[in-house]
Amino acid sequence: MKKYEITDIAHPDNPNLHRIRAVADLTEDVLAGMLGGYVECCDNLDQEAWIAADAIACENAVVCGDAILTDHAVAKGNAYVGKNATVTGGATVQDDAIVCSGVVMGKSCVCGYAVIRQDEQTLCAPIIDGSARVYGEISGNVVCRGNAVVLPGTKLDNR
């Protein structure tokens, strides 16, 4: 069942991006007729996920599952934001990064071949905040904030 449509409302700075509109009630907060964020094409957002406010999913990025992009968050490149991940504030998920769980917020950036996921046993999920930059893999009860940098090849796992 189709839950959103792409409108003719173009982004003020990028005419290739268009706002979405809910065509069915998705949650108690997302009702039919409500406008969401911006996508470049229908491949950027599956029918289960939602992009709110001025958030953007573009290029080959995919937002799916119960994931939410909100505020001024951006998913671009070949990024994947799925399952129950939340990307908010001015955060960016780009390149070939994968965010399957947790919260990415502030002005943080998950990029390169980074992977953010919850620990399957404890169900704890990472929080990325501030101006943190994540290029490595993070899972479990990990908080990266401030100007933290997780370099490529680094694996942080805290059950």
Side-chain angles (χ1 to χ4, degrees):
M1 179 178 151
K2 189 173 179 181
K3 295 185 179 179
Y4 75 88
E5 64 185 1
I6 300 175
T7 69
D8 291 333
I9 303 169
H11 188 277
D13 298 326
N14 186 338
N16 292 329
L17 302 174
H18 289 85
R19 261 201 202 279
I20 59 171
R21 178 184 298 122
V23 295
D25 293 350
L26 299 175
T27 66
E28 11 180 276
D29 298 325
V30 181
L31 305 175
M34 290 181 71
L35 292 175
Y38 296 91
V39 296
E40 192 166 346
C41 68
C42 62
D43 293 336
N44 296 129
L45 179 65
D46 80 0
Q47 291 293 327
E48 302 303 315
W50 184 248
I51 299 175
D54 290 321
I56 295 170
C58 61
E59 299 169 0
N60 294 319
V62 175
V63 179
C64 61
D66 290 331
I68 298 172
L69 255 63
T70 189
D71 297 326
H72 295 280
V74 176
K76 64 183 182 177
N78 294 314
Y80 171 88
V81 180
K83 295 190 180 178
N84 59 350
T86 299
V87 183
T88 186
T92 302
V93 180
Q94 65 184 31
D95 303 327
D96 293 294
I98 297 170
V99 179
C100 293
S101 188
V103 178
V104 181
M105 58 188 172
K107 295 189 181 295
S108 58
C109 184
V110 178
C111 45
Y113 292 96
V115 177
I116 308 294
R117 65 177 175 264
Q118 75 180 12
D119 180 272
E120 294 304 319
Q121 293 176 353
T122 65
L123 302 181
C124 290
I127 297 173
I128 314 300
D129 192 10
S131 296
R133 297 287 179 263
V134 178
Y135 301 90
E137 294 183 31
I138 300 177
S139 64
N141 189 17
V142 176
V143 177
C144 289
R145 60 173 48 129
N147 293 319
V149 176
V150 178
L151 296 172
T154 302
K155 294 182 181 183
L156 301 175
D157 183 12
N158 184 13
R159 296 183 174 179

